[in-house]
Amino acid sequence: MYPLKTVHPSVPPFHPPSHFKFSSESHFSHEPFPHTGCSVFDYGDLTFEDVPRADWNTSWSVACAVHQVAKAVCRVIRDGHTCVTLGGDHSLALGSVFGHSLAQQNPAVIWVDAHADVNTPLTSRTGNLHGQPVAFLLHELQDKIPSLSGFSWLSPCLSARDIVYIGLRDVDPAEHFILKNYGLQYFSTRHIDELGIHKVMEMTLDYLIQHSKRSIHLSFDIDAFDPSLAPATGTPVPGGLTLREGLYIAEELHNSGALSALDLVEVNPRLGSDPNAADVTLDLAMDVILSCLGKVREGMHTKGYRLPCPSTEEREEGEVQA
């Protein structure tokens, strides 16, 4: 597990990972999650060099931060663990996906998000790198990416065939062009309405890992959920995933046996209208993480569990009373 100690430089400096870690400790120690057999290895926080506010969204500051993420994720996966990275905005996936590709060849990526995050630096209307990570990672778009300071370590590690989007509903014109003309597979919320989340996940897994043993990287933006469920986030979009749909995605990825890495991003407690909004969003994020790691909604029991039997004395006492 790698929480980011300070938020990514491209967004205001709140500290969500500390909230995550406090929440995660209570969840991880609470029954019945330990019954899944998962152990938590906390690799510690990542700390980044302080930069002036004016430089938060510069390519250099972002590149330095996500390079650390890449090295950290690579280390965790090479150690044989499922890596959970808590952020922070979605630009951290530049590092987490690249780091995953260094540890395991040809990972498949499932990007659960209201947004496609596939603008290039030349098509982005805001200049925010958290709206561009997929473009940097795709081989097919490298001739559209200008040279940016700090990113010499990064090379494309995905083909269009390696990624599936789920939950899209706020896509810029250039992103829509890329989705349609570069062969990226996606399921918008309309597709989910039409097909149902069960069929969407069946098609996603068939598309990415049918007849193969490749690993899966889930990059989950909390704004994929409807804002009524996840209000404490930076770019909420109405009409998002329901609780049941989001947890089903996580459960199916756990059941696939192929999940090697998970990003959970864009949780910002300071953006909640009140403390309850922050708590609700954090709890939802933790439910996604735990479902990815094996928690199931119907309940659980430990392997080897046995029902208790009455003692001889209790049996004899019952016979006397009878």
PDB file of all heavy atoms in Angstrom, residues 39-73:
ATOM      1  N   SER A  39      -3.148  -9.802   4.034  1.00  0.00           N
ATOM      2  CA  SER A  39      -2.351  -9.059   4.994  1.00  0.00           C
ATOM      3  C   SER A  39      -1.991  -7.712   4.377  1.00  0.00           C
ATOM      4  O   SER A  39      -1.822  -7.604   3.161  1.00  0.00           O
ATOM      5  CB  SER A  39      -1.068  -9.814   5.348  1.00  0.00           C
ATOM      6  OG  SER A  39      -1.370 -11.060   5.944  1.00  0.00           O
ATOM      7  N   VAL A  40      -1.871  -6.689   5.211  1.00  0.00           N
ATOM      8  CA  VAL A  40      -1.555  -5.351   4.730  1.00  0.00           C
ATOM      9  C   VAL A  40      -0.088  -5.051   5.002  1.00  0.00           C
ATOM     10  O   VAL A  40       0.375  -5.162   6.136  1.00  0.00           O
ATOM     11  CB  VAL A  40      -2.440  -4.293   5.415  1.00  0.00           C
ATOM     12  CG1 VAL A  40      -2.063  -2.896   4.920  1.00  0.00           C
ATOM     13  CG2 VAL A  40      -3.908  -4.576   5.144  1.00  0.00           C
ATOM     14  N   PHE A  41       0.641  -4.691   3.954  1.00  0.00           N
ATOM     15  CA  PHE A  41       2.028  -4.266   4.083  1.00  0.00           C
ATOM     16  C   PHE A  41       2.078  -2.781   3.728  1.00  0.00           C
ATOM     17  O   PHE A  41       1.923  -2.415   2.569  1.00  0.00           O
ATOM     18  CB  PHE A  41       2.936  -5.061   3.138  1.00  0.00           C
ATOM     19  CG  PHE A  41       2.961  -6.535   3.417  1.00  0.00           C
ATOM     20  CD1 PHE A  41       2.015  -7.374   2.849  1.00  0.00           C
ATOM     21  CD2 PHE A  41       3.927  -7.079   4.260  1.00  0.00           C
ATOM     22  CE1 PHE A  41       2.026  -8.738   3.106  1.00  0.00           C
ATOM     23  CE2 PHE A  41       3.951  -8.439   4.519  1.00  0.00           C
ATOM     24  CZ  PHE A  41       2.996  -9.275   3.956  1.00  0.00           C
ATOM     25  N   ASP A  42       2.237  -1.945   4.728  1.00  0.00           N
ATOM     26  CA  ASP A  42       2.284  -0.500   4.505  1.00  0.00           C
ATOM     27  C   ASP A  42       3.710  -0.095   4.178  1.00  0.00           C
ATOM     28  O   ASP A  42       4.592  -0.154   5.030  1.00  0.00           O
ATOM     29  CB  ASP A  42       1.781   0.229   5.754  1.00  0.00           C
ATOM     30  CG  ASP A  42       1.608   1.725   5.521  1.00  0.00           C
ATOM     31  OD1 ASP A  42       2.090   2.223   4.480  1.00  0.00           O
ATOM     32  OD2 ASP A  42       0.994   2.389   6.371  1.00  0.00           O
ATOM     33  N   TYR A  43       3.958   0.291   2.944  1.00  0.00           N
ATOM     34  CA  TYR A  43       5.293   0.683   2.517  1.00  0.00           C
ATOM     35  C   TYR A  43       5.617   2.129   2.881  1.00  0.00           C
ATOM     36  O   TYR A  43       6.670   2.638   2.513  1.00  0.00           O
ATOM     37  CB  TYR A  43       5.422   0.490   1.004  1.00  0.00           C
ATOM     38  CG  TYR A  43       5.722  -0.937   0.592  1.00  0.00           C
ATOM     39  CD1 TYR A  43       4.782  -1.944   0.750  1.00  0.00           C
ATOM     40  CD2 TYR A  43       6.948  -1.268   0.038  1.00  0.00           C
ATOM     41  CE1 TYR A  43       5.058  -3.247   0.367  1.00  0.00           C
ATOM     42  CE2 TYR A  43       7.236  -2.567  -0.356  1.00  0.00           C
ATOM     43  CZ  TYR A  43       6.287  -3.550  -0.183  1.00  0.00           C
ATOM     44  OH  TYR A  43       6.556  -4.851  -0.569  1.00  0.00           O
ATOM     45  N   GLY A  44       4.723   2.772   3.586  1.00  0.00           N
ATOM     46  CA  GLY A  44       4.978   4.148   4.000  1.00  0.00           C
ATOM     47  C   GLY A  44       4.495   5.154   2.984  1.00  0.00           C
ATOM     48  O   GLY A  44       4.130   4.834   1.862  1.00  0.00           O
ATOM     49  N   ASP A  45       4.484   6.411   3.416  1.00  0.00           N
ATOM     50  CA  ASP A  45       4.035   7.494   2.553  1.00  0.00           C
ATOM     51  C   ASP A  45       5.137   7.896   1.575  1.00  0.00           C
ATOM     52  O   ASP A  45       6.328   7.756   1.874  1.00  0.00           O
ATOM     53  CB  ASP A  45       3.669   8.725   3.381  1.00  0.00           C
ATOM     54  CG  ASP A  45       2.513   8.461   4.329  1.00  0.00           C
ATOM     55  OD1 ASP A  45       1.816   7.447   4.141  1.00  0.00           O
ATOM     56  OD2 ASP A  45       2.313   9.265   5.251  1.00  0.00           O
ATOM     57  N   LEU A  46       4.726   8.397   0.431  1.00  0.00           N
ATOM     58  CA  LEU A  46       5.655   9.042  -0.487  1.00  0.00           C
ATOM     59  C   LEU A  46       5.648  10.533  -0.186  1.00  0.00           C
ATOM     60  O   LEU A  46       4.583  11.129  -0.049  1.00  0.00           O
ATOM     61  CB  LEU A  46       5.246   8.808  -1.937  1.00  0.00           C
ATOM     62  CG  LEU A  46       5.238   7.361  -2.428  1.00  0.00           C
ATOM     63  CD1 LEU A  46       4.845   7.319  -3.895  1.00  0.00           C
ATOM     64  CD2 LEU A  46       6.589   6.707  -2.217  1.00  0.00           C
ATOM     65  N   THR A  47       6.800  11.115  -0.076  1.00  0.00           N
ATOM     66  CA  THR A  47       6.889  12.551   0.167  1.00  0.00           C
ATOM     67  C   THR A  47       7.546  13.213  -1.022  1.00  0.00           C
ATOM     68  O   THR A  47       8.455  12.660  -1.651  1.00  0.00           O
ATOM     69  CB  THR A  47       7.703  12.848   1.441  1.00  0.00           C
ATOM     70  OG1 THR A  47       8.988  12.234   1.323  1.00  0.00           O
ATOM     71  CG2 THR A  47       6.996  12.283   2.664  1.00  0.00           C
ATOM     72  N   PHE A  48       7.077  14.413  -1.327  1.00  0.00           N
ATOM     73  CA  PHE A  48       7.559  15.122  -2.501  1.00  0.00           C
ATOM     74  C   PHE A  48       8.171  16.455  -2.098  1.00  0.00           C
ATOM     75  O   PHE A  48       7.798  17.045  -1.084  1.00  0.00           O
ATOM     76  CB  PHE A  48       6.411  15.366  -3.487  1.00  0.00           C
ATOM     77  CG  PHE A  48       5.659  14.132  -3.851  1.00  0.00           C
ATOM     78  CD1 PHE A  48       4.300  14.039  -3.672  1.00  0.00           C
ATOM     79  CD2 PHE A  48       6.339  13.027  -4.366  1.00  0.00           C
ATOM     80  CE1 PHE A  48       3.606  12.896  -4.006  1.00  0.00           C
ATOM     81  CE2 PHE A  48       5.655  11.882  -4.701  1.00  0.00           C
ATOM     82  CZ  PHE A  48       4.278  11.814  -4.516  1.00  0.00           C
ATOM     83  N   GLU A  49       9.066  16.909  -2.909  1.00  0.00           N
ATOM     84  CA  GLU A  49       9.694  18.205  -2.678  1.00  0.00           C
ATOM     85  C   GLU A  49       8.636  19.303  -2.722  1.00  0.00           C
ATOM     86  O   GLU A  49       7.780  19.337  -3.610  1.00  0.00           O
ATOM     87  CB  GLU A  49      10.757  18.445  -3.753  1.00  0.00           C
ATOM     88  CG  GLU A  49      11.468  19.788  -3.641  1.00  0.00           C
ATOM     89  CD  GLU A  49      12.463  19.972  -4.773  1.00  0.00           C
ATOM     90  OE1 GLU A  49      12.758  18.985  -5.472  1.00  0.00           O
ATOM     91  OE2 GLU A  49      12.918  21.115  -4.957  1.00  0.00           O
ATOM     92  N   ASP A  50       8.690  20.203  -1.759  1.00  0.00           N
ATOM     93  CA  ASP A  50       7.769  21.340  -1.766  1.00  0.00           C
ATOM     94  C   ASP A  50       8.080  22.231  -2.955  1.00  0.00           C
ATOM     95  O   ASP A  50       9.236  22.536  -3.252  1.00  0.00           O
ATOM     96  CB  ASP A  50       7.895  22.149  -0.478  1.00  0.00           C
ATOM     97  CG  ASP A  50       7.341  21.420   0.728  1.00  0.00           C
ATOM     98  OD1 ASP A  50       6.445  20.581   0.536  1.00  0.00           O
ATOM     99  OD2 ASP A  50       7.806  21.681   1.851  1.00  0.00           O
ATOM    100  N   VAL A  51       7.025  22.657  -3.634  1.00  0.00           N
ATOM    101  CA  VAL A  51       7.192  23.568  -4.768  1.00  0.00           C
ATOM    102  C   VAL A  51       6.288  24.762  -4.568  1.00  0.00           C
ATOM    103  O   VAL A  51       5.234  24.661  -3.918  1.00  0.00           O
ATOM    104  CB  VAL A  51       6.849  22.863  -6.104  1.00  0.00           C
ATOM    105  CG1 VAL A  51       7.832  21.753  -6.394  1.00  0.00           C
ATOM    106  CG2 VAL A  51       5.414  22.336  -6.100  1.00  0.00           C
ATOM    107  N   PRO A  52       6.650  25.924  -5.096  1.00  0.00           N
ATOM    108  CA  PRO A  52       5.778  27.102  -4.979  1.00  0.00           C
ATOM    109  C   PRO A  52       4.428  26.837  -5.609  1.00  0.00           C
ATOM    110  O   PRO A  52       4.300  26.059  -6.558  1.00  0.00           O
ATOM    111  CB  PRO A  52       6.551  28.183  -5.749  1.00  0.00           C
ATOM    112  CG  PRO A  52       7.969  27.702  -5.783  1.00  0.00           C
ATOM    113  CD  PRO A  52       7.890  26.207  -5.826  1.00  0.00           C
ATOM    114  N   ARG A  53       3.410  27.498  -5.072  1.00  0.00           N
ATOM    115  CA  ARG A  53       2.049  27.289  -5.574  1.00  0.00           C
ATOM    116  C   ARG A  53       1.966  27.492  -7.080  1.00  0.00           C
ATOM    117  O   ARG A  53       1.257  26.772  -7.776  1.00  0.00           O
ATOM    118  CB  ARG A  53       1.078  28.244  -4.857  1.00  0.00           C
ATOM    119  CG  ARG A  53      -0.381  27.999  -5.205  1.00  0.00           C
ATOM    120  CD  ARG A  53      -1.298  29.025  -4.545  1.00  0.00           C
ATOM    121  NE  ARG A  53      -2.697  28.740  -4.834  1.00  0.00           N
ATOM    122  CZ  ARG A  53      -3.491  28.019  -4.072  1.00  0.00           C
ATOM    123  NH1 ARG A  53      -3.026  27.480  -2.963  1.00  0.00           N
ATOM    124  NH2 ARG A  53      -4.747  27.811  -4.398  1.00  0.00           N
ATOM    125  N   ALA A  54       2.709  28.474  -7.571  1.00  0.00           N
ATOM    126  CA  ALA A  54       2.658  28.760  -9.018  1.00  0.00           C
ATOM    127  C   ALA A  54       3.169  27.600  -9.856  1.00  0.00           C
ATOM    128  O   ALA A  54       2.868  27.500 -11.046  1.00  0.00           O
ATOM    129  CB  ALA A  54       3.461  30.016  -9.316  1.00  0.00           C
ATOM    130  N   ASP A  55       3.937  26.697  -9.245  1.00  0.00           N
ATOM    131  CA  ASP A  55       4.531  25.579  -9.994  1.00  0.00           C
ATOM    132  C   ASP A  55       3.792  24.269  -9.809  1.00  0.00           C
ATOM    133  O   ASP A  55       4.240  23.222 -10.287  1.00  0.00           O
ATOM    134  CB  ASP A  55       5.988  25.374  -9.557  1.00  0.00           C
ATOM    135  CG  ASP A  55       6.873  26.535  -9.950  1.00  0.00           C
ATOM    136  OD1 ASP A  55       6.534  27.215 -10.933  1.00  0.00           O
ATOM    137  OD2 ASP A  55       7.885  26.769  -9.266  1.00  0.00           O
ATOM    138  N   TRP A  56       2.649  24.273  -9.099  1.00  0.00           N
ATOM    139  CA  TRP A  56       1.954  23.023  -8.814  1.00  0.00           C
ATOM    140  C   TRP A  56       1.627  22.229 -10.072  1.00  0.00           C
ATOM    141  O   TRP A  56       1.671  21.017 -10.085  1.00  0.00           O
ATOM    142  CB  TRP A  56       0.648  23.307  -8.054  1.00  0.00           C
ATOM    143  CG  TRP A  56       0.873  23.507  -6.594  1.00  0.00           C
ATOM    144  CD1 TRP A  56       2.009  23.270  -5.889  1.00  0.00           C
ATOM    145  CD2 TRP A  56      -0.094  23.990  -5.653  1.00  0.00           C
ATOM    146  NE1 TRP A  56       1.835  23.577  -4.563  1.00  0.00           N
ATOM    147  CE2 TRP A  56       0.541  24.025  -4.392  1.00  0.00           C
ATOM    148  CE3 TRP A  56      -1.418  24.405  -5.750  1.00  0.00           C
ATOM    149  CZ2 TRP A  56      -0.106  24.439  -3.245  1.00  0.00           C
ATOM    150  CZ3 TRP A  56      -2.059  24.834  -4.606  1.00  0.00           C
ATOM    151  CH2 TRP A  56      -1.415  24.843  -3.367  1.00  0.00           C
ATOM    152  N   ASN A  57       1.255  22.935 -11.138  1.00  0.00           N
ATOM    153  CA  ASN A  57       0.813  22.232 -12.339  1.00  0.00           C
ATOM    154  C   ASN A  57       1.864  22.240 -13.437  1.00  0.00           C
ATOM    155  O   ASN A  57       1.552  22.001 -14.591  1.00  0.00           O
ATOM    156  CB  ASN A  57      -0.501  22.832 -12.853  1.00  0.00           C
ATOM    157  CG  ASN A  57      -1.248  21.859 -13.750  1.00  0.00           C
ATOM    158  OD1 ASN A  57      -1.247  20.664 -13.518  1.00  0.00           O
ATOM    159  ND2 ASN A  57      -1.882  22.379 -14.785  1.00  0.00           N
ATOM    160  N   THR A  58       3.110  22.548 -13.092  1.00  0.00           N
ATOM    161  CA  THR A  58       4.148  22.479 -14.107  1.00  0.00           C
ATOM    162  C   THR A  58       4.493  21.026 -14.391  1.00  0.00           C
ATOM    163  O   THR A  58       4.368  20.163 -13.520  1.00  0.00           O
ATOM    164  CB  THR A  58       5.423  23.216 -13.650  1.00  0.00           C
ATOM    165  OG1 THR A  58       5.948  22.554 -12.490  1.00  0.00           O
ATOM    166  CG2 THR A  58       5.131  24.675 -13.325  1.00  0.00           C
ATOM    167  N   SER A  59       4.931  20.775 -15.613  1.00  0.00           N
ATOM    168  CA  SER A  59       5.241  19.388 -15.975  1.00  0.00           C
ATOM    169  C   SER A  59       6.370  18.846 -15.119  1.00  0.00           C
ATOM    170  O   SER A  59       6.370  17.671 -14.757  1.00  0.00           O
ATOM    171  CB  SER A  59       5.610  19.306 -17.461  1.00  0.00           C
ATOM    172  OG  SER A  59       6.815  20.004 -17.736  1.00  0.00           O
ATOM    173  N   TRP A  60       7.331  19.692 -14.752  1.00  0.00           N
ATOM    174  CA  TRP A  60       8.470  19.214 -13.976  1.00  0.00           C
ATOM    175  C   TRP A  60       8.034  18.709 -12.605  1.00  0.00           C
ATOM    176  O   TRP A  60       8.440  17.635 -12.162  1.00  0.00           O
ATOM    177  CB  TRP A  60       9.503  20.332 -13.820  1.00  0.00           C
ATOM    178  CG  TRP A  60      10.662  19.924 -12.969  1.00  0.00           C
ATOM    179  CD1 TRP A  60      11.778  19.245 -13.363  1.00  0.00           C
ATOM    180  CD2 TRP A  60      10.809  20.151 -11.568  1.00  0.00           C
ATOM    181  NE1 TRP A  60      12.620  19.037 -12.285  1.00  0.00           N
ATOM    182  CE2 TRP A  60      12.049  19.575 -11.178  1.00  0.00           C
ATOM    183  CE3 TRP A  60      10.013  20.779 -10.605  1.00  0.00           C
ATOM    184  CZ2 TRP A  60      12.502  19.631  -9.853  1.00  0.00           C
ATOM    185  CZ3 TRP A  60      10.463  20.829  -9.287  1.00  0.00           C
ATOM    186  CH2 TRP A  60      11.684  20.250  -8.933  1.00  0.00           C
ATOM    187  N   SER A  61       7.204  19.487 -11.905  1.00  0.00           N
ATOM    188  CA  SER A  61       6.794  19.084 -10.553  1.00  0.00           C
ATOM    189  C   SER A  61       5.947  17.819 -10.593  1.00  0.00           C
ATOM    190  O   SER A  61       6.102  16.919  -9.757  1.00  0.00           O
ATOM    191  CB  SER A  61       6.030  20.214  -9.858  1.00  0.00           C
ATOM    192  OG  SER A  61       4.835  20.534 -10.540  1.00  0.00           O
ATOM    193  N   VAL A  62       5.053  17.729 -11.565  1.00  0.00           N
ATOM    194  CA  VAL A  62       4.229  16.528 -11.698  1.00  0.00           C
ATOM    195  C   VAL A  62       5.095  15.328 -12.065  1.00  0.00           C
ATOM    196  O   VAL A  62       4.952  14.242 -11.495  1.00  0.00           O
ATOM    197  CB  VAL A  62       3.128  16.735 -12.758  1.00  0.00           C
ATOM    198  CG1 VAL A  62       2.331  15.448 -12.962  1.00  0.00           C
ATOM    199  CG2 VAL A  62       2.183  17.858 -12.343  1.00  0.00           C
ATOM    200  N   ALA A  63       6.011  15.522 -12.993  1.00  0.00           N
ATOM    201  CA  ALA A  63       6.874  14.421 -13.445  1.00  0.00           C
ATOM    202  C   ALA A  63       7.711  13.858 -12.305  1.00  0.00           C
ATOM    203  O   ALA A  63       7.870  12.639 -12.176  1.00  0.00           O
ATOM    204  CB  ALA A  63       7.770  14.897 -14.585  1.00  0.00           C
ATOM    205  N   CYS A  64       8.257  14.736 -11.473  1.00  0.00           N
ATOM    206  CA  CYS A  64       9.075  14.270 -10.348  1.00  0.00           C
ATOM    207  C   CYS A  64       8.249  13.427  -9.397  1.00  0.00           C
ATOM    208  O   CYS A  64       8.712  12.390  -8.890  1.00  0.00           O
ATOM    209  CB  CYS A  64       9.673  15.467  -9.614  1.00  0.00           C
ATOM    210  SG  CYS A  64      10.959  16.337 -10.544  1.00  0.00           S
ATOM    211  N   ALA A  65       7.011  13.868  -9.133  1.00  0.00           N
ATOM    212  CA  ALA A  65       6.158  13.136  -8.195  1.00  0.00           C
ATOM    213  C   ALA A  65       5.760  11.773  -8.752  1.00  0.00           C
ATOM    214  O   ALA A  65       5.875  10.752  -8.063  1.00  0.00           O
ATOM    215  CB  ALA A  65       4.912  13.966  -7.874  1.00  0.00           C
ATOM    216  N   VAL A  66       5.296  11.735  -9.999  1.00  0.00           N
ATOM    217  CA  VAL A  66       4.812  10.457 -10.527  1.00  0.00           C
ATOM    218  C   VAL A  66       5.954   9.497 -10.827  1.00  0.00           C
ATOM    219  O   VAL A  66       5.743   8.285 -10.865  1.00  0.00           O
ATOM    220  CB  VAL A  66       3.902  10.662 -11.762  1.00  0.00           C
ATOM    221  CG1 VAL A  66       2.651  11.422 -11.380  1.00  0.00           C
ATOM    222  CG2 VAL A  66       4.625  11.360 -12.903  1.00  0.00           C
ATOM    223  N   HIS A  67       7.169  10.029 -11.015  1.00  0.00           N
ATOM    224  CA  HIS A  67       8.320   9.140 -11.158  1.00  0.00           C
ATOM    225  C   HIS A  67       8.550   8.366  -9.865  1.00  0.00           C
ATOM    226  O   HIS A  67       8.842   7.159  -9.885  1.00  0.00           O
ATOM    227  CB  HIS A  67       9.564   9.946 -11.526  1.00  0.00           C
ATOM    228  CG  HIS A  67      10.697   9.109 -12.010  1.00  0.00           C
ATOM    229  ND1 HIS A  67      11.977   9.602 -12.189  1.00  0.00           N
ATOM    230  CD2 HIS A  67      10.766   7.781 -12.348  1.00  0.00           C
ATOM    231  CE1 HIS A  67      12.772   8.642 -12.629  1.00  0.00           C
ATOM    232  NE2 HIS A  67      12.064   7.520 -12.724  1.00  0.00           N
ATOM    233  N   GLN A  68       8.375   9.032  -8.728  1.00  0.00           N
ATOM    234  CA  GLN A  68       8.467   8.330  -7.445  1.00  0.00           C
ATOM    235  C   GLN A  68       7.393   7.260  -7.327  1.00  0.00           C
ATOM    236  O   GLN A  68       7.631   6.165  -6.826  1.00  0.00           O
ATOM    237  CB  GLN A  68       8.326   9.319  -6.290  1.00  0.00           C
ATOM    238  CG  GLN A  68       9.534  10.176  -6.027  1.00  0.00           C
ATOM    239  CD  GLN A  68       9.441  10.821  -4.657  1.00  0.00           C
ATOM    240  OE1 GLN A  68       9.295  10.154  -3.645  1.00  0.00           O
ATOM    241  NE2 GLN A  68       9.510  12.140  -4.641  1.00  0.00           N
ATOM    242  N   VAL A  69       6.181   7.607  -7.775  1.00  0.00           N
ATOM    243  CA  VAL A  69       5.087   6.641  -7.743  1.00  0.00           C
ATOM    244  C   VAL A  69       5.443   5.413  -8.572  1.00  0.00           C
ATOM    245  O   VAL A  69       5.232   4.271  -8.153  1.00  0.00           O
ATOM    246  CB  VAL A  69       3.774   7.273  -8.253  1.00  0.00           C
ATOM    247  CG1 VAL A  69       2.670   6.226  -8.340  1.00  0.00           C
ATOM    248  CG2 VAL A  69       3.335   8.418  -7.339  1.00  0.00           C
ATOM    249  N   ALA A  70       6.004   5.629  -9.767  1.00  0.00           N
ATOM    250  CA  ALA A  70       6.350   4.510 -10.651  1.00  0.00           C
ATOM    251  C   ALA A  70       7.329   3.559  -9.974  1.00  0.00           C
ATOM    252  O   ALA A  70       7.147   2.331 -10.001  1.00  0.00           O
ATOM    253  CB  ALA A  70       6.948   5.052 -11.960  1.00  0.00           C
ATOM    254  N   LYS A  71       8.368   4.110  -9.373  1.00  0.00           N
ATOM    255  CA  LYS A  71       9.372   3.263  -8.723  1.00  0.00           C
ATOM    256  C   LYS A  71       8.769   2.522  -7.530  1.00  0.00           C
ATOM    257  O   LYS A  71       9.090   1.343  -7.291  1.00  0.00           O
ATOM    258  CB  LYS A  71      10.558   4.118  -8.300  1.00  0.00           C
ATOM    259  CG  LYS A  71      11.379   4.641  -9.479  1.00  0.00           C
ATOM    260  CD  LYS A  71      12.597   5.412  -9.036  1.00  0.00           C
ATOM    261  CE  LYS A  71      12.257   6.787  -8.521  1.00  0.00           C
ATOM    262  NZ  LYS A  71      13.473   7.602  -8.250  1.00  0.00           N
ATOM    263  N   ALA A  72       7.884   3.193  -6.794  1.00  0.00           N
ATOM    264  CA  ALA A  72       7.276   2.563  -5.620  1.00  0.00           C
ATOM    265  C   ALA A  72       6.351   1.418  -6.015  1.00  0.00           C
ATOM    266  O   ALA A  72       6.390   0.336  -5.426  1.00  0.00           O
ATOM    267  CB  ALA A  72       6.510   3.613  -4.817  1.00  0.00           C
ATOM    268  N   VAL A  73       5.522   1.642  -7.026  1.00  0.00           N
ATOM    269  CA  VAL A  73       4.586   0.607  -7.472  1.00  0.00           C
ATOM    270  C   VAL A  73       5.348  -0.589  -8.027  1.00  0.00           C
ATOM    271  O   VAL A  73       5.010  -1.750  -7.748  1.00  0.00           O
ATOM    272  CB  VAL A  73       3.612   1.177  -8.523  1.00  0.00           C
ATOM    273  CG1 VAL A  73       2.796   0.067  -9.180  1.00  0.00           C
ATOM    274  CG2 VAL A  73       2.677   2.198  -7.874  1.00  0.00           C
TER     275      VAL A  73
END
